[in-house]
Amino acid sequence: MQKLGITFIVPVIQKIYSVNITEQLVDVMKQEIITKDNLNCTVDAQVYFKVGDSEPELKNALYQVNDYTRQIVQLARTSLRNVIDDNVFKDVNSQRGKLNQQVFETMEIETRDWGINIVRVELK
């Protein structure tokens, strides 16, 4: 519920947080992953996400995770390893859309309680 009018903040007791609720991009650093057929594959990705704009989602983004941007990057790295580990090198090169979708679905489930909405994941 939004309160209208003048709002007073007691400096020692209360604090104002500013949260960007627009779509944001984080770059997932390159990493070498071993595929199912024991070949090395160098992969990096980009994750597009938004912090939810409802009050419960904003509270979760602030209080459920320490630094949601850093944790999204770490979750993306782990999800990439898990998804690519299950595929052969040929599939990793040819089925990028399927891999994007698998990483997206994994991340969407994991970040649901954080108040974060994953918009899309792009492997590069």
Side-chain angles (χ1 to χ4, degrees), residues 31-46:
Q31 60 181 336
E32 272 201 22
I33 302 171
I34 299 173
T35 60
K36 193 174 188 176
D37 52 353
N38 291 325
L39 295 172
N40 288 338
C41 177
T42 303
V43 178
D44 63 340
Q46 293 178 329

Side-chain angles (χ1 to χ4, degrees), residues 66-117:
N66 184 23
D67 180 2
Y68 57 80
T69 304
R70 194 176 90 222
Q71 287 188 241
I72 286 173
V73 170
Q74 294 304 317
L75 178 62
R77 290 174 60 92
T78 304
S79 299
L80 278 170
R81 279 194 301 270
N82 290 340
V83 167
I84 291 176
D85 280 350
D86 293 338
N87 290 284
V88 295
F89 188 77
K90 180 182 172 186
D91 292 343
V92 170
N93 282 332
S94 64
Q95 298 181 356
R96 190 173 296 169
K98 180 183 125 187
L99 298 175
N100 286 341
Q101 187 64 29
Q102 288 177 341
V103 174
F104 170 78
E105 289 170 357
T106 302
M107 291 189 65
E108 189 177 44
I109 291 167
E110 295 295 324
T111 60
R112 190 173 296 148
D113 294 336
W114 298 355
I116 305 293
N117 302 317

Side-chain angles (χ1 to χ4, degrees), residues 19 21 51-63 114-115:
V19 178
I21 60 170
V51 176
D53 57 354
S54 70
E55 186 176 345
E57 290 174 319
L58 287 169
K59 285 181 178 179
N60 286 342
L62 290 172
Y63 301 128
W114 298 355

